Amino acid sequence: MNWEERAHALAATVTPRASRWGAAVAATPRHLFVPNWWTRNGRAWALRQGATDEQVWLDAAYADRSLITRVGPLHADDAKPGDSPMGRPTISATLPSLVVRMYRYGQIGDRDDVLDLGLGTGYGTCVAAHRLSDQQVTAVDVDPLACITGRERLAEAGRRPTVVCADATEELPGTFDVIVATVGLRRVYPSILDALNPGGRLVTTIAGTTLIITVEKAEDGTATGQVLWDRAGFMPTRSSLDYPPGADDLLDAAVMATSEHPRVSPYPVVDVANAWDLSSMLDLTAPDIAHHYEERGDGTRVAVMAHSDGSWARATGRPNERAAVDQGGPRRLWDILDELRTHWLTEGELPARGAQVFVKADGTTILARGNWHVKL
């Protein structure tokens, strides 16, 4: 199989000229880490098996795209043709350009010991081990099967970094100069702060948002840093093989529900989940809202939000028209969204990006910018 030429082309695409990461990407056989993967099939997923079509396999593996390798508890390696799981992705091979960006934000030195928080398929760990050495790289994942297959595929690629099955919210193995999380963290957990050497650097995203934060640990055990202006998103951390049941049933109910006090929004319908700055600010303000959006054949847009506390909202309207809003439950979710949109228009921007980050020794994480602040 001629993968080397494709890996070199990928490296040229996803790394800047003369980057020290270019050679590592070019030397990493990404196809080994994604022999099988899932693609969207409506609300379900369809299996793709590399062995059935080598050309399709190589095209997918050496494109700058994420490949989902597990949905819910079902890994693509364990699936059979015709399997069509429902649920949320739980493991993926992150798009290579994002892997490199996260490592570059880590400002990794040649002698640094690095923790890859979120082994996943093992691809990013392999890139890091090529750039540094096996002895300098440790990877953890909560999924025992991911650790087994990841370790095997790393060895097949000629790399043997340390791979540990561990929950990131609990004790981690050793201490490190740089920790790069390719899973989303709701806050900087004490276990992660404890695993960072004084002067060490953490790079992560805030779960549920597209906010990237970098912090450096001080001698007193606290850490400070900032929210970057760049954007990225990862699957949130979990402590079991799958995430808790989602709000799909609530979303389905909200599509048909009616409220006693409908209103008209001052703004058009927006696809909240794909309005990255807006959705990030909403999640900081009211975490864990589930979203659904569709555009109907007559041009009508429908956006639905639901929360496990029973709150729901549905906005309907055509582009550039004020949305008709129905809401129910203990909170008015669309009102919260409209308040954020008003702030955005009034102030010219939302305050989260560029904010300072303060982490106390107990892991309490605060974002602050000007008069605005939020505790994660």
Side-chain angles (χ1 to χ4, degrees):
M1 179 183 288
N2 181 17
W3 61 268
E4 290 89 350
E5 183 176 337
R6 289 172 178 266
H8 277 82
L10 178 63
T13 300
V14 304
T15 61
R17 185 180 179 185
S19 168
R20 292 176 295 178
W21 292 100
V25 173
T28 302
R30 191 173 186 238
H31 67 283
L32 293 181
F33 298 93
V34 283
N36 306 293
W37 67 99
W38 297 103
T39 58
R40 274 285 189 188
N41 184 19
R43 291 182 66 174
W45 297 83
L47 180 65
R48 296 289 181 266
Q49 296 178 299
T52 64
D53 191 325
E54 185 176 291
Q55 186 69 32
V56 170
W57 183 13
L58 292 175
D59 287 347
Y62 293 98
D64 188 26
R65 56 180 277 208
S66 291
L67 296 175
I68 304 300
T69 56
R70 202 180 75 172
V71 174
L74 183 57
H75 200 292
D77 290 345
D78 296 331
K80 301 184 249 344
D83 283 345
S84 186
M86 304 283 286
R88 296 170 61 182
T90 46
I91 296 179
S92 72
T94 301
L95 68 160
S97 60
L98 181 52
V99 170
V100 171
R101 278 161 53 204
M102 295 296 283
Y103 286 154
R104 292 179 67 208
Y105 287 137
Q107 299 180 5
I108 298 170
D110 291 343
R111 297 183 179 181
D112 285 343
D113 291 323
V114 176
L115 176 64
D116 181 10
L117 193 59
L119 169 72
T121 64
Y123 171 72
T125 306
C126 192
V127 171
H130 273 298
R131 161 72 176 82
L132 300 168
S133 70
D134 292 346
Q135 293 72 34
Q136 292 171 266
V137 178
T138 299
V140 301
D141 203 287
V142 72
D143 184 335
L145 180 60
C147 292
I148 292 170
T149 58
R151 194 180 290 115
E152 291 172 349
R153 287 165 185 168
L154 283 161
E156 189 177 355
R159 309 305 323 187
R160 288 177 172 79
T162 301
V163 175
V164 178
C165 190
D167 184 340
T169 64
E170 299 178 356
E171 186 176 359
L172 290 168
T175 58
F176 305 90
D177 302 305
V178 180
I179 299 176
V180 178
T182 50
V183 292
L185 306 180
R186 193 60 213 176
R187 62 187 180 96
V188 179
Y189 299 106
S191 57
I192 296 173
L193 200 57
D194 289 345
L196 197 61
N197 289 326
R201 186 173 177 88
L202 166 68
V203 183
T204 185
T205 55
I206 300 173
T209 78
T210 59
L211 303 176
I212 307 172
I213 67 170
T214 62
V215 297
E216 294 185 1
K217 185 176 177 179
E219 293 289 342
D220 64 1
T222 65
T224 57
Q226 67 179 111
V227 179
L228 303 183
W229 290 96
D230 197 0
R231 298 163 174 82
F234 290 97
M235 300 172 192
T237 55
R238 50 188 168 80
S239 297
S240 59
L241 293 182
D242 199 358
Y243 297 108
D248 286 351
D249 290 343
L250 292 171
L251 287 170
D252 290 342
V255 170
M256 302 301 296
T258 57
S259 63
E260 295 181 2
H261 303 288
R263 72 174 183 88
V264 176
S265 168
Y267 308 112
V269 177
V270 62
D271 181 1
V272 182
N274 287 305
W276 286 7
D277 285 4
L278 185 60
S279 65
S280 295
M281 195 69 195
L282 177 63
D283 195 82
L284 294 177
T285 307
D288 302 322
I289 296 172
H291 298 275
H292 170 74
Y293 175 82
E294 63 180 277
E295 295 187 10
R296 296 175 176 169
D298 63 358
T300 300
R301 297 177 174 179
V302 181
V304 183
M305 298 193 290
H307 192 275
S308 59
D309 68 0
S311 301
W312 63 272
R314 184 183 67 252
T316 307
R318 293 179 179 275
N320 302 317
E321 294 181 355
R322 297 171 66 187
V325 178
D326 287 280
Q327 303 179 96
R331 292 183 294 171
R332 300 294 180 259
L333 300 182
W334 204 268
D335 290 1
I336 296 172
L337 180 73
D338 277 350
E339 289 173 6
L340 293 174
R341 297 173 82 176
T342 297
H343 178 92
W344 197 349
L345 290 172
T346 302
E347 303 298 330
E349 63 179 356
L350 294 170
R353 296 199 194 279
Q356 293 179 295
V357 182
F358 303 94
V359 185
K360 298 180 181 180
D362 65 359
T364 299
T365 306
I366 297 170
L367 310 185
R369 186 178 179 202
N371 295 323
W372 173 85
H373 72 275
V374 64
K375 182 170 74 172
L376 301 181

